C-alpha cells in the first residue's frame, strides 16, 4: 500500500507526514501480498535457473536434447526433480539416465 501511495503525486507535507507515521509506528513498507509476490517470483526464478543449468550441463557433456526433452526440462516446476536431474546430469552416461 505504501508503494501505491508513494507513486501518487503527494504534496511534500503529506509525504513527510506519511513517512513520519510509518517511522514512528513501525508500519511495514511492504504489504504481506507484496512479500508473497516477491517470494513467488524468487522461487520461480530459482526453478528456471535450475532448469537452464540442467540443459547447459547436459549440452556441455555432449548430450543433445530433443525438442520434447528440452521442453520437459524447461517446463519442470518441481525443485526437487530439477535438483535430482542436475546432480545426475554431471555423472550420467546417457540422457535417459540423467532425466530419470
Amino acid at each position: 500500500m505504501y508503494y501505491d501511495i508513494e507513486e501518487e503525486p503527494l504534496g511534500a507535507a503529506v509525504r513527510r507526514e506519511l513517512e513520519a507515521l510509518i517511522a514512528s509506528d513501525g508500519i511495514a513498507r511492504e504489504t504481506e501480498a507484496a512479500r508473497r509476490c516477491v517470494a513467488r517470483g524468487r522461487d520461480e526464478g530459482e526453478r528456471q535457473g535450475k532448469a537452464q543449468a540442467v540443459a547447459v550441463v547436459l549440452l556441455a557433456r555432449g548430450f543433445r536434447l530433443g525438442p520434447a526433452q528440452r521442453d520437459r526440462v524447461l517446463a519442470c516446476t518441481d525443485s526437487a526433480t530439477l535438483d535430482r536431474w542436475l546432480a545426475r546430469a554431471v555423472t550420467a552416461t546417457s540422457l535417459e539416465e540423467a532425466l530419470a
Side-chain angles (χ1 to χ4, degrees):
M1 183 172 145
Y2 174 76
Y3 288 111
D4 294 339
I5 293 170
E6 190 174 66
E7 292 297 318
E8 294 296 318
L10 299 176
V14 174
R15 186 177 306 275
R16 279 193 304 274
E17 288 290 327
L18 180 59
E19 292 191 359
L21 174 68
I22 290 169
S24 67
D25 291 343
I27 297 172
R29 290 181 180 255
E30 289 182 10
T31 64
E32 183 59 32
R35 283 191 286 279
R36 283 193 307 268
C37 286
V38 168
R40 272 195 309 267
R42 183 175 39 254
D43 291 344
E44 183 178 332
E46 287 176 6
R47 285 190 301 270
Q48 288 174 349
K50 287 179 183 182
Q52 290 172 348
V54 170
V56 167
V57 170
L58 290 170
L59 289 172
R61 297 211 45 236
F63 296 116
R64 296 292 167 232
L65 294 168
Q69 292 163 322
R70 182 172 174 75
D71 289 347
R72 179 180 172 212
V73 169
L74 296 180
C76 183
T77 59
D78 182 63
S79 192
T81 298
L82 292 166
D83 288 341
R84 186 178 66 247
W85 287 349
L86 186 55
R88 288 181 181 167
V90 174
T91 60
T93 58
S94 70
L95 192 52
E96 293 73 24
E97 179 185 347
L99 300 179

Coordinates of all heavy atoms in Angstrom, one line a residue:
M1 N 0.8 -1.2 0.0 CA 0.0 0.0 0.0 C 0.9 1.3 0.0 O 0.6 2.2 -0.7 CB -0.9 0.0 1.2 CG -1.9 1.2 1.2 SD -3.0 0.9 2.6 CE -3.2 2.6 3.1
Y2 N 1.9 1.2 0.8 CA 2.8 2.4 0.8 C 3.4 2.7 -0.5 O 3.4 3.9 -0.9 CB 4.0 2.1 1.8 CG 5.0 3.3 1.8 CD1 4.7 4.4 2.5 CD2 6.2 3.1 1.2 CE1 5.6 5.5 2.5 CE2 7.1 4.1 1.2 CZ 6.8 5.3 1.8 OH 7.8 6.3 1.8
Y3 N 3.8 1.7 -1.3 CA 4.3 2.0 -2.6 C 3.3 2.6 -3.5 O 3.6 3.4 -4.4 CB 4.9 0.7 -3.2 CG 6.2 0.3 -2.6 CD1 6.2 -0.8 -1.8 CD2 7.3 1.1 -2.7 CE1 7.4 -1.2 -1.1 CE2 8.5 0.7 -2.0 CZ 8.5 -0.5 -1.3 OH 9.7 -0.8 -0.6
D4 N 2.0 2.1 -3.4 CA 0.9 2.7 -4.2 C 0.8 4.1 -3.9 O 0.6 5.0 -4.8 CB -0.4 1.9 -4.0 CG -0.3 0.5 -4.5 OD1 0.6 0.2 -5.4 OD2 -1.1 -0.3 -4.0
I5 N 0.8 4.4 -2.6 CA 0.6 5.8 -2.2 C 1.8 6.7 -2.6 O 1.6 7.8 -3.1 CB 0.4 5.9 -0.6 CG1 -0.9 5.2 -0.3 CG2 0.4 7.3 -0.2 CD1 -1.1 5.0 1.2
E6 N 2.9 6.1 -2.5 CA 4.2 6.8 -2.8 C 4.2 7.2 -4.3 O 4.7 8.3 -4.7 CB 5.4 6.0 -2.5 CG 6.7 6.8 -2.6 CD 7.8 5.9 -2.1 OE1 8.1 4.9 -2.8 OE2 8.4 6.3 -1.1
E7 N 3.6 6.4 -5.1 CA 3.6 6.7 -6.6 C 2.6 7.9 -6.9 O 2.7 8.5 -7.9 CB 3.2 5.5 -7.4 CG 4.2 4.4 -7.3 CD 5.5 4.8 -7.9 OE1 5.5 5.4 -9.0 OE2 6.6 4.4 -7.3
E8 N 1.6 8.1 -6.1 CA 0.7 9.2 -6.3 C 1.4 10.6 -6.1 O 2.3 10.7 -5.3 CB -0.5 9.1 -5.4 CG -1.3 7.9 -5.6 CD -2.0 7.9 -7.0 OE1 -2.5 8.9 -7.4 OE2 -2.0 6.8 -7.6
P9 N 1.0 11.6 -6.8 CA 1.6 12.9 -6.7 C 1.1 13.6 -5.4 O 0.2 14.3 -5.3 CB 1.1 13.7 -7.9 CG -0.2 13.0 -8.3 CD 0.0 11.5 -7.9
L10 N 1.8 13.3 -4.3 CA 1.5 13.9 -3.0 C 2.3 15.1 -2.8 O 3.4 15.3 -3.3 CB 1.9 12.9 -1.8 CG 1.2 11.5 -1.8 CD1 1.7 10.7 -0.7 CD2 -0.3 11.8 -1.6
G11 N 1.7 16.0 -2.0 CA 2.5 17.2 -1.7 C 3.6 16.8 -0.7 O 3.5 15.8 0.0
A12 N 4.6 17.7 -0.6 CA 5.7 17.4 0.3 C 5.3 17.3 1.8 O 5.8 16.4 2.5 CB 6.8 18.5 0.2
A13 N 4.3 18.1 2.2 CA 3.9 18.0 3.6 C 3.2 16.7 3.9 O 3.4 16.0 4.9 CB 3.0 19.1 3.9
V14 N 2.4 16.2 3.0 CA 1.7 15.0 3.1 C 2.7 13.8 3.1 O 2.6 12.9 3.9 CB 0.6 14.8 2.0 CG1 0.0 13.4 2.1 CG2 -0.5 15.9 2.1
R15 N 3.6 13.9 2.2 CA 4.6 12.8 2.2 C 5.4 12.7 3.5 O 5.7 11.7 4.0 CB 5.6 13.1 1.0 CG 6.6 11.9 0.8 CD 7.4 12.1 -0.5 NE 6.7 12.4 -1.7 CZ 6.2 11.5 -2.5 NH1 6.3 10.2 -2.2 NH2 5.5 11.8 -3.5
R16 N 5.8 13.9 4.0 CA 6.6 13.9 5.3 C 5.7 13.3 6.4 O 6.2 12.6 7.2 CB 7.0 15.3 5.6 CG 8.2 15.8 4.9 CD 8.8 17.1 5.5 NE 7.8 18.2 5.6 CZ 7.6 19.0 4.5 NH1 8.3 18.9 3.4 NH2 6.7 20.0 4.6
E17 N 4.4 13.7 6.5 CA 3.5 13.1 7.5 C 3.4 11.6 7.4 O 3.5 10.9 8.4 CB 2.1 13.8 7.4 CG 2.1 15.2 7.8 CD 2.2 15.4 9.3 OE1 1.8 14.5 10.1 OE2 2.8 16.4 9.7
L18 N 3.3 11.1 6.2 CA 3.1 9.7 5.9 C 4.4 9.0 6.3 O 4.4 8.0 7.0 CB 2.8 9.4 4.4 CG 2.7 8.0 4.1 CD1 1.6 7.3 4.8 CD2 2.4 7.9 2.6
E19 N 5.6 9.5 6.0 CA 6.8 8.9 6.3 C 7.1 8.9 7.8 O 7.6 8.0 8.4 CB 8.0 9.5 5.5 CG 7.8 9.1 4.1 CD 9.1 9.4 3.2 OE1 10.0 10.0 3.8 OE2 9.0 9.1 2.0
A20 N 6.6 10.0 8.5 CA 6.8 10.1 9.9 C 5.9 9.0 10.6 O 6.3 8.4 11.6 CB 6.4 11.5 10.4
L21 N 4.7 8.9 10.1 CA 3.8 7.9 10.6 C 4.4 6.5 10.5 O 4.3 5.7 11.4 CB 2.4 7.9 9.9 CG 1.4 6.9 10.2 CD1 0.9 7.1 11.7 CD2 0.2 6.9 9.3
I22 N 4.9 6.2 9.3 CA 5.5 4.9 9.1 C 6.7 4.7 10.0 O 6.8 3.6 10.6 CB 5.9 4.7 7.6 CG1 4.7 4.6 6.8 CG2 6.8 3.5 7.4 CD1 4.9 4.8 5.3
A23 N 7.5 5.7 10.2 CA 8.7 5.5 11.0 C 8.3 5.4 12.5 O 8.9 4.6 13.2 CB 9.6 6.7 10.8
S24 N 7.4 6.1 12.9 CA 7.0 6.1 14.4 C 6.2 4.9 14.8 O 6.4 4.3 15.9 CB 6.2 7.3 14.8 OG 5.0 7.3 14.1
D25 N 5.4 4.4 13.9 CA 4.5 3.2 14.2 C 5.1 1.9 13.7 O 4.5 0.9 14.0 CB 3.1 3.4 13.6 CG 2.4 4.5 14.3 OD1 2.7 5.0 15.4 OD2 1.4 5.0 13.7
G26 N 6.2 2.0 13.1 CA 6.8 0.7 12.6 C 6.0 0.0 11.5 O 6.0 -1.2 11.4
I27 N 5.2 0.8 10.8 CA 4.4 0.2 9.7 C 5.3 -0.3 8.6 O 6.2 0.4 8.2 CB 3.4 1.2 9.1 CG1 2.4 1.7 10.2 CG2 2.6 0.7 7.9 CD1 1.5 2.8 9.8
A28 N 5.0 -1.5 8.2 CA 5.9 -2.1 7.2 C 5.7 -1.4 5.9 O 4.6 -1.0 5.5 CB 5.5 -3.6 7.0
R29 N 6.8 -1.2 5.1 CA 6.7 -0.5 3.9 C 6.2 -1.5 2.8 O 5.9 -1.0 1.7 CB 8.1 0.0 3.5 CG 8.5 1.1 4.4 CD 9.9 1.7 3.9 NE 10.2 2.8 4.8 CZ 10.2 4.0 4.4 NH1 9.8 4.4 3.2 NH2 10.6 5.0 5.2
E30 N 6.1 -2.8 3.0 CA 5.6 -3.7 2.1 C 4.4 -4.4 2.7 O 4.4 -4.7 3.9 CB 6.7 -4.8 1.8 CG 7.8 -4.4 1.0 CD 8.8 -5.6 0.7 OE1 8.4 -6.7 1.0 OE2 9.9 -5.3 0.3
T31 N 3.4 -4.7 1.9 CA 2.3 -5.4 2.3 C 2.7 -6.9 2.3 O 3.6 -7.3 1.6 CB 1.1 -5.2 1.4 OG1 1.4 -5.7 0.1 CG2 0.7 -3.7 1.3
E32 N 1.9 -7.7 3.0 CA 2.1 -9.1 3.0 C 1.9 -9.7 1.6 O 2.7 -10.6 1.2 CB 1.1 -9.8 4.0 CG 1.3 -11.3 4.1 CD 2.7 -11.7 4.6 OE1 3.3 -11.0 5.4 OE2 3.2 -12.8 4.1
A33 N 1.0 -9.2 0.9 CA 0.8 -9.6 -0.5 C 2.0 -9.3 -1.4 O 2.4 -10.1 -2.2 CB -0.4 -8.9 -1.1
A34 N 2.6 -8.2 -1.2 CA 3.8 -7.8 -1.9 C 5.0 -8.8 -1.6 O 5.7 -9.3 -2.5 CB 4.3 -6.4 -1.7
R35 N 5.1 -9.1 -0.3 CA 6.2 -10.1 0.1 C 5.9 -11.4 -0.5 O 6.9 -12.1 -0.9 CB 6.2 -10.2 1.6 CG 7.0 -9.0 2.3 CD 7.2 -9.2 3.7 NE 6.1 -9.1 4.6 CZ 5.5 -8.0 5.0 NH1 6.1 -6.8 4.7 NH2 4.4 -8.0 5.7
R36 N 4.6 -11.9 -0.5 CA 4.3 -13.2 -1.2 C 4.7 -13.2 -2.7 O 5.2 -14.1 -3.2 CB 2.9 -13.5 -0.9 CG 2.6 -14.0 0.5 CD 1.2 -14.7 0.6 NE 0.1 -13.8 0.1 CZ -0.6 -13.0 0.8 NH1 -0.4 -12.9 2.1 NH2 -1.6 -12.3 0.2
C37 N 4.3 -12.1 -3.3 CA 4.6 -12.0 -4.8 C 6.1 -12.0 -5.0 O 6.6 -12.7 -5.9 CB 4.1 -10.7 -5.3 SG 2.3 -10.7 -5.5
V38 N 6.9 -11.3 -4.2 CA 8.4 -11.3 -4.3 C 8.9 -12.7 -4.1 O 9.7 -13.2 -4.8 CB 9.0 -10.3 -3.4 CG1 10.5 -10.5 -3.3 CG2 8.7 -8.9 -3.8
A39 N 8.4 -13.4 -3.1 CA 8.8 -14.8 -2.8 C 8.5 -15.7 -3.9 O 9.3 -16.6 -4.3 CB 8.2 -15.3 -1.5
R40 N 7.3 -15.6 -4.5 CA 6.9 -16.5 -5.6 C 7.8 -16.2 -6.8 O 8.2 -17.1 -7.5 CB 5.5 -16.2 -6.0 CG 4.5 -17.1 -5.2 CD 3.1 -17.1 -5.9 NE 2.6 -15.7 -6.1 CZ 1.8 -15.0 -5.3 NH1 1.4 -15.6 -4.2 NH2 1.3 -13.9 -5.7
G41 N 8.1 -14.9 -7.1 CA 9.0 -14.6 -8.2 C 10.4 -15.1 -8.0 O 11.0 -15.6 -8.9
R42 N 10.9 -15.0 -6.7 CA 12.2 -15.6 -6.5 C 12.2 -17.1 -6.6 O 13.1 -17.6 -7.3 CB 12.6 -15.2 -5.0 CG 14.0 -15.6 -4.7 CD 14.5 -15.1 -3.3 NE 13.5 -15.1 -2.3 CZ 12.8 -14.1 -1.8 NH1 13.1 -12.9 -2.2 NH2 11.9 -14.2 -0.8
D43 N 11.2 -17.8 -6.1 CA 11.1 -19.2 -6.3 C 11.1 -19.6 -7.8 O 11.7 -20.6 -8.2 CB 9.9 -19.8 -5.5 CG 10.1 -19.7 -4.0 OD1 11.2 -19.5 -3.5 OD2 9.0 -19.8 -3.3
E44 N 10.2 -18.9 -8.5 CA 10.1 -19.2 -9.9 C 11.4 -19.0 -10.7 O 11.8 -19.8 -11.5 CB 9.0 -18.4 -10.6 CG 8.8 -18.7 -12.0 CD 7.7 -17.8 -12.6 OE1 6.7 -17.4 -11.9 OE2 7.7 -17.6 -13.8
G45 N 12.1 -17.9 -10.3 CA 13.4 -17.6 -10.9 C 14.5 -18.7 -10.6 O 15.2 -19.1 -11.5
E46 N 14.4 -19.2 -9.4 CA 15.4 -20.2 -9.0 C 15.1 -21.5 -9.7 O 16.0 -22.2 -10.2 CB 15.3 -20.5 -7.5 CG 15.9 -19.4 -6.6 CD 15.7 -19.6 -5.1 OE1 15.2 -20.7 -4.7 OE2 16.1 -18.7 -4.4
R47 N 13.8 -21.8 -9.9 CA 13.5 -23.1 -10.7 C 13.9 -22.9 -12.1 O 14.4 -23.9 -12.7 CB 12.0 -23.4 -10.5 CG 11.6 -24.0 -9.2 CD 10.2 -24.5 -9.1 NE 9.2 -23.4 -9.4 CZ 8.6 -22.7 -8.5 NH1 8.9 -22.8 -7.2 NH2 7.7 -21.8 -8.9
Q48 N 13.6 -21.8 -12.7 CA 14.0 -21.5 -14.1 C 15.5 -21.6 -14.2 O 16.0 -22.2 -15.2 CB 13.5 -20.2 -14.6 CG 12.1 -20.1 -14.8 CD 11.6 -18.7 -15.2 OE1 12.3 -17.7 -15.1 NE2 10.3 -18.6 -15.6
G49 N 16.3 -21.1 -13.3 CA 17.7 -21.2 -13.3 C 18.2 -22.6 -13.2 O 19.2 -23.0 -13.9
K50 N 17.6 -23.4 -12.3 CA 18.0 -24.8 -12.2 C 17.7 -25.6 -13.5 O 18.5 -26.4 -14.0 CB 17.2 -25.5 -11.1 CG 17.7 -25.1 -9.7 CD 16.8 -25.8 -8.6 CE 17.2 -25.3 -7.3 NZ 16.5 -26.0 -6.2
A51 N 16.5 -25.3 -14.1 CA 16.2 -26.0 -15.4 C 17.2 -25.6 -16.5 O 17.6 -26.5 -17.2 CB 14.8 -25.6 -15.8
Q52 N 17.6 -24.4 -16.6 CA 18.6 -24.0 -17.5 C 19.9 -24.6 -17.2 O 20.6 -25.0 -18.1 CB 18.7 -22.5 -17.6 CG 17.5 -21.8 -18.2 CD 17.5 -20.3 -18.1 OE1 18.3 -19.7 -17.4 NE2 16.5 -19.7 -18.8
A53 N 20.3 -24.7 -16.0 CA 21.5 -25.4 -15.6 C 21.5 -26.8 -16.0 O 22.6 -27.3 -16.5 CB 21.7 -25.3 -14.1
V54 N 20.4 -27.5 -15.8 CA 20.3 -28.9 -16.3 C 20.6 -29.0 -17.8 O 21.5 -29.8 -18.2 CB 18.9 -29.5 -16.0 CG1 18.8 -30.9 -16.7 CG2 18.7 -29.7 -14.5
A55 N 20.0 -28.2 -18.5 CA 20.2 -28.2 -20.0 C 21.6 -27.8 -20.4 O 22.2 -28.5 -21.2 CB 19.2 -27.2 -20.7
V56 N 22.2 -26.9 -19.7 CA 23.6 -26.5 -20.0 C 24.6 -27.6 -19.7 O 25.5 -27.9 -20.5 CB 23.9 -25.2 -19.3 CG1 25.4 -24.9 -19.3 CG2 23.2 -24.0 -19.9
V57 N 24.4 -28.2 -18.5 CA 25.3 -29.3 -18.2 C 25.2 -30.4 -19.1 O 26.2 -31.0 -19.6 CB 25.0 -29.8 -16.7 CG1 25.8 -31.0 -16.4 CG2 25.4 -28.7 -15.7
L58 N 24.0 -30.8 -19.5 CA 23.8 -31.9 -20.5 C 24.4 -31.6 -21.8 O 25.1 -32.4 -22.4 CB 22.3 -32.2 -20.6 CG 21.7 -32.9 -19.4 CD1 20.1 -33.0 -19.6 CD2 22.2 -34.3 -19.2
L59 N 24.2 -30.4 -22.3 CA 24.8 -29.9 -23.5 C 26.3 -29.9 -23.4 O 27.0 -30.3 -24.4 CB 24.3 -28.6 -24.0 CG 22.8 -28.6 -24.4 CD1 22.3 -27.1 -24.6 CD2 22.6 -29.4 -25.7
A60 N 26.9 -29.4 -22.3 CA 28.3 -29.4 -22.1 C 28.9 -30.8 -22.1 O 30.1 -31.0 -22.5 CB 28.7 -28.6 -20.9
R61 N 28.2 -31.7 -21.7 CA 28.7 -33.1 -21.6 C 28.5 -33.9 -23.0 O 28.8 -35.0 -23.1 CB 27.9 -33.9 -20.5 CG 28.3 -33.3 -19.1 CD 28.3 -34.2 -18.0 NE 29.0 -35.4 -18.2 CZ 28.4 -36.6 -18.1 NH1 27.2 -36.7 -17.7 NH2 29.1 -37.7 -18.3
G62 N 27.9 -33.2 -23.9 CA 27.8 -33.7 -25.3 C 26.4 -34.4 -25.5 O 26.2 -34.9 -26.6
F63 N 25.5 -34.3 -24.6 CA 24.2 -34.8 -24.9 C 23.3 -33.8 -25.6 O 23.4 -32.6 -25.4 CB 23.4 -35.1 -23.5 CG 24.1 -36.2 -22.7 CD1 24.6 -35.9 -21.5 CD2 24.2 -37.5 -23.2 CE1 25.3 -36.9 -20.7 CE2 24.8 -38.5 -22.4 CZ 25.4 -38.2 -21.2
R64 N 22.6 -34.3 -26.6 CA 21.7 -33.4 -27.4 C 20.3 -33.6 -27.0 O 19.7 -34.7 -27.2 CB 21.9 -33.7 -28.9 CG 23.3 -33.4 -29.4 CD 23.6 -31.9 -29.4 NE 25.0 -31.7 -29.5 CZ 25.8 -31.0 -28.7 NH1 25.3 -30.4 -27.7 NH2 27.1 -30.8 -29.0
L65 N 19.7 -32.5 -26.4 CA 18.3 -32.6 -26.0 C 17.4 -32.4 -27.3 O 17.6 -31.5 -28.0 CB 18.0 -31.5 -25.0 CG 18.7 -31.6 -23.7 CD1 18.5 -30.3 -22.9 CD2 18.1 -32.7 -22.9
G66 N 16.5 -33.4 -27.5 CA 15.5 -33.2 -28.5 C 14.5 -32.1 -28.0 O 14.5 -31.8 -26.8
P67 N 13.6 -31.7 -28.9 CA 12.6 -30.7 -28.5 C 11.8 -31.1 -27.3 O 11.5 -30.3 -26.4 CB 11.8 -30.4 -29.8 CG 12.7 -30.9 -30.9 CD 13.6 -32.0 -30.3
A68 N 11.3 -32.3 -27.3 CA 10.4 -32.8 -26.3 C 11.2 -32.8 -24.9 O 10.7 -32.5 -23.9 CB 9.9 -34.2 -26.6
Q69 N 12.5 -33.3 -25.0 CA 13.3 -33.4 -23.7 C 13.6 -32.0 -23.2 O 13.5 -31.7 -22.0 CB 14.5 -34.1 -24.0 CG 14.3 -35.6 -24.3 CD 15.5 -36.3 -24.9 OE1 16.2 -35.7 -25.7 NE2 15.8 -37.5 -24.5
R70 N 13.9 -31.1 -24.1 CA 14.2 -29.7 -23.7 C 13.0 -29.0 -23.1 O 13.0 -28.4 -22.1 CB 14.7 -28.9 -24.9 CG 15.1 -27.5 -24.6 CD 15.7 -26.8 -25.8 NE 16.0 -25.4 -25.5 CZ 16.9 -24.9 -24.8 NH1 17.8 -25.8 -24.2 NH2 17.1 -23.6 -24.6
D71 N 11.8 -29.2 -23.8 CA 10.6 -28.7 -23.2 C 10.3 -29.3 -21.9 O 9.8 -28.5 -21.0 CB 9.4 -29.0 -24.2 CG 9.5 -28.1 -25.5 OD1 10.3 -27.2 -25.5 OD2 8.7 -28.5 -26.4
R72 N 10.5 -30.6 -21.7 CA 10.3 -31.2 -20.4 C 11.1 -30.6 -19.3 O 10.6 -30.3 -18.2 CB 10.6 -32.7 -20.5 CG 10.4 -33.5 -19.2 CD 10.7 -35.0 -19.4 NE 10.6 -35.6 -18.2 CZ 11.4 -36.7 -17.9 NH1 12.2 -37.2 -18.8 NH2 11.3 -37.2 -16.7
V73 N 12.4 -30.4 -19.6 CA 13.3 -29.8 -18.6 C 12.9 -28.4 -18.3 O 12.8 -28.0 -17.1 CB 14.8 -29.9 -19.1 CG1 15.7 -29.1 -18.2 CG2 15.2 -31.3 -19.1
L74 N 12.7 -27.6 -19.3 CA 12.4 -26.2 -19.1 C 11.1 -25.9 -18.5 O 10.8 -24.9 -17.9 CB 12.6 -25.4 -20.4 CG 14.1 -25.4 -20.9 CD1 14.2 -24.6 -22.2 CD2 15.1 -24.9 -19.9
A75 N 10.1 -26.9 -18.7 CA 8.8 -26.7 -18.1 C 8.7 -27.2 -16.7 O 7.7 -26.9 -16.0 CB 7.8 -27.4 -19.0
C76 N 9.7 -27.9 -16.2 CA 9.6 -28.5 -14.9 C 9.5 -27.4 -13.8 O 10.4 -26.5 -13.8 CB 10.8 -29.4 -14.7 SG 10.7 -30.3 -13.1
T77 N 8.6 -27.6 -12.9 CA 8.5 -26.6 -11.8 C 8.7 -27.2 -10.5 O 8.6 -26.5 -9.4 CB 7.1 -26.0 -11.8 OG1 6.1 -27.0 -11.6 CG2 6.8 -25.2 -13.1
D78 N 9.1 -28.5 -10.4 CA 9.4 -29.2 -9.2 C 10.9 -29.0 -8.8 O 11.7 -29.6 -9.5 CB 9.0 -30.6 -9.3 CG 9.2 -31.3 -7.9 OD1 8.6 -31.0 -6.9 OD2 10.1 -32.3 -7.9
S79 N 11.2 -28.3 -7.8 CA 12.6 -28.0 -7.5 C 13.4 -29.3 -7.1 O 14.5 -29.4 -7.5 CB 12.6 -27.0 -6.3 OG 13.9 -26.5 -6.1
A80 N 12.7 -30.2 -6.4 CA 13.4 -31.5 -6.1 C 13.8 -32.3 -7.3 O 14.9 -32.8 -7.4 CB 12.5 -32.3 -5.1
T81 N 12.9 -32.3 -8.3 CA 13.2 -33.0 -9.6 C 14.3 -32.3 -10.3 O 15.2 -33.0 -10.8 CB 11.9 -33.0 -10.5 OG1 10.9 -33.8 -9.8 CG2 12.2 -33.7 -11.8
L82 N 14.3 -31.0 -10.3 CA 15.4 -30.3 -11.0 C 16.7 -30.5 -10.3 O 17.7 -30.7 -11.0 CB 15.0 -28.8 -11.1 CG 13.9 -28.5 -12.0 CD1 13.4 -27.0 -11.7 CD2 14.3 -28.6 -13.4
D83 N 16.7 -30.6 -9.0 CA 18.0 -30.9 -8.2 C 18.5 -32.2 -8.6 O 19.7 -32.4 -8.8 CB 17.7 -30.7 -6.7 CG 17.6 -29.3 -6.3 OD1 18.0 -28.4 -7.0 OD2 17.0 -29.1 -5.1
R84 N 17.6 -33.2 -8.6 CA 17.9 -34.6 -9.0 C 18.5 -34.7 -10.4 O 19.6 -35.3 -10.6 CB 16.7 -35.5 -8.8 CG 17.1 -37.0 -9.0 CD 15.8 -37.9 -8.8 NE 14.8 -37.7 -9.8 CZ 13.6 -37.2 -9.6 NH1 13.3 -36.8 -8.4 NH2 12.8 -37.0 -10.6
W85 N 17.8 -34.0 -11.3 CA 18.3 -34.0 -12.7 C 19.7 -33.4 -12.8 O 20.6 -33.8 -13.6 CB 17.3 -33.3 -13.6 CG 16.1 -34.1 -13.9 CD1 15.8 -35.4 -13.6 CD2 14.9 -33.6 -14.6 NE1 14.5 -35.7 -14.1 CE2 14.0 -34.6 -14.6 CE3 14.6 -32.3 -15.0 CZ2 12.7 -34.4 -15.2 CZ3 13.3 -32.2 -15.6 CH2 12.4 -33.2 -15.7
L86 N 19.9 -32.3 -12.1 CA 21.1 -31.6 -12.2 C 22.3 -32.4 -11.6 O 23.3 -32.5 -12.3 CB 21.1 -30.2 -11.4 CG 22.3 -29.3 -11.5 CD1 22.6 -29.0 -13.0 CD2 22.0 -28.0 -10.8
A87 N 22.0 -33.1 -10.5 CA 23.1 -34.0 -9.9 C 23.4 -35.1 -10.9 O 24.5 -35.5 -11.1 CB 22.6 -34.5 -8.6
R88 N 22.4 -35.7 -11.5 CA 22.6 -36.8 -12.4 C 23.2 -36.3 -13.7 O 24.0 -37.1 -14.3 CB 21.2 -37.5 -12.7 CG 20.7 -38.3 -11.6 CD 19.4 -38.9 -12.0 NE 18.9 -39.7 -10.9 CZ 17.6 -40.2 -10.8 NH1 16.8 -40.0 -11.9 NH2 17.2 -40.9 -9.8
A89 N 22.9 -35.1 -14.1 CA 23.5 -34.6 -15.4 C 25.0 -34.6 -15.3 O 25.7 -34.7 -16.4 CB 22.9 -33.2 -15.7
V90 N 25.6 -34.4 -14.2 CA 27.0 -34.3 -14.0 C 27.7 -35.7 -14.3 O 28.8 -35.7 -14.8 CB 27.4 -33.8 -12.6 CG1 28.9 -33.8 -12.3 CG2 26.8 -32.4 -12.4
T91 N 27.1 -36.8 -13.9 CA 27.7 -38.1 -14.0 C 27.0 -39.1 -14.9 O 27.6 -40.2 -15.1 CB 27.8 -38.7 -12.6 OG1 26.5 -38.9 -12.1 CG2 28.7 -37.8 -11.7
A92 N 25.9 -38.8 -15.4 CA 25.1 -39.7 -16.2 C 25.8 -40.2 -17.5 O 26.6 -39.4 -18.0 CB 23.8 -39.1 -16.6
T93 N 25.6 -41.4 -17.9 CA 26.2 -41.9 -19.1 C 25.3 -41.9 -20.3 O 25.7 -42.2 -21.4 CB 26.7 -43.4 -18.9 OG1 25.6 -44.2 -18.5 CG2 27.8 -43.4 -17.8
S94 N 24.0 -41.5 -20.0 CA 23.1 -41.3 -21.1 C 22.1 -40.2 -20.7 O 21.9 -39.9 -19.5 CB 22.3 -42.6 -21.3 OG 21.4 -42.9 -20.3
L95 N 21.4 -39.7 -21.7 CA 20.4 -38.6 -21.4 C 19.2 -39.2 -20.6 O 18.7 -38.6 -19.7 CB 19.9 -38.1 -22.8 CG 19.1 -36.8 -22.8 CD1 19.8 -35.7 -22.0 CD2 18.8 -36.4 -24.2
E96 N 18.9 -40.4 -21.0 CA 17.8 -41.1 -20.3 C 18.1 -41.3 -18.8 O 17.2 -41.1 -17.9 CB 17.4 -42.5 -20.9 CG 16.9 -42.4 -22.3 CD 17.9 -42.0 -23.4 OE1 19.2 -42.2 -23.1 OE2 17.5 -41.5 -24.4
E97 N 19.3 -41.6 -18.5 CA 19.8 -41.8 -17.1 C 19.7 -40.4 -16.4 O 19.2 -40.3 -15.2 CB 21.2 -42.3 -17.0 CG 21.7 -42.5 -15.6 CD 23.2 -43.0 -15.6 OE1 23.7 -43.4 -16.6 OE2 23.8 -42.9 -14.5
A98 N 20.1 -39.4 -17.0 CA 20.1 -38.1 -16.4 C 18.7 -37.6 -16.1 O 18.5 -37.0 -15.0 CB 20.8 -37.1 -17.3
L99 N 17.8 -37.9 -16.9 CA 16.4 -37.4 -16.8 C 15.4 -38.4 -16.2 O 14.2 -38.2 -16.3 CB 15.9 -36.8 -18.1 CG 16.7 -35.7 -18.7 CD1 16.1 -35.3 -20.0 CD2 16.8 -34.5 -17.7
A100 N 16.0 -39.4 -15.6 CA 15.1 -40.5 -14.9 C 14.5 -39.9 -13.7 O 15.0 -39.0 -13.0 CB 16.0 -41.7 -14.6

